[in-house]
Amino acid sequence: MTSDNLWQARTETHPDRAVVTLSGELDITAVDQLRDLLTTTLRANPVVDVDLSRLTFLDSTILSVLVTAYQDATAAGGTLNLINPIGHVHRVLTVTGILPLLEPGDTAEATPPHHA
């Protein structure tokens, strides 16, 4: 349990990747803990899938953490993928253009899309 029990994270390590499953609601109160979790996980595993199937809310500060983690992973020769987003989380990631950038198998450069 983290950040006043609003969210949880579970990490599973596999031979070719780590899977971080996030659940609950992620907002500005979770930024430091999530950043630390992703940084630590990416240092130990070049490929990290972030499973969002149990995440019900995220705000712009979390979007920033996810994009920064993706950029850091790519710069180090690895990758960070967002998998299984649903509901509000899927909509936010799609509307902001972040989901196509961080979906598995994407070849986009490690730069978030620019909006006019």
Side-chain angles (χ1 to χ4, degrees), residues 2-68:
T2 50
S3 293
D4 298 321
N5 300 323
L6 292 177
W7 68 284
Q8 295 180 338
R10 183 182 77 230
T11 303
E12 298 174 10
T13 303
H14 303 277
D16 63 337
R17 69 190 58 242
V19 178
V20 176
T21 301
L22 301 175
S23 59
E25 300 179 5
L26 285 169
D27 62 18
I28 194 167
T29 63
V31 166
D32 292 336
Q33 289 174 307
L34 182 60
R35 182 184 308 117
D36 292 347
L37 171 65
L38 294 176
T39 298
T40 300
T41 305
L42 283 163
R43 282 187 187 140
N45 306 276
V47 177
V48 175
D49 290 339
V50 181
D51 185 347
L52 305 174
S53 63
R54 297 182 177 172
L55 192 66
T56 58
F57 178 82
L58 77 167
D59 70 8
S60 62
T61 61
I62 300 305
L63 295 177
S64 178
V65 170
L66 294 171
V67 170
T68 299

Side-chain angles (χ1 to χ4, degrees), residues 67-92:
V67 170
T68 299
Y70 170 80
Q71 292 172 328
D72 292 347
T74 302
T79 191
L80 179 131
N81 301 305
L82 300 182
I83 60 172
N84 305 321
I86 60 170
H88 166 80
V89 172
H90 185 272
R91 178 163 167 69
V92 168

Side-chain angles (χ1 to χ4, degrees), residues 70 79 81 98-109:
Y70 170 80
T79 191
N81 301 305
I98 292 172
L99 187 57
L101 178 69
L102 277 70
E103 283 182 309
D106 191 9
T107 58
E109 292 185 27

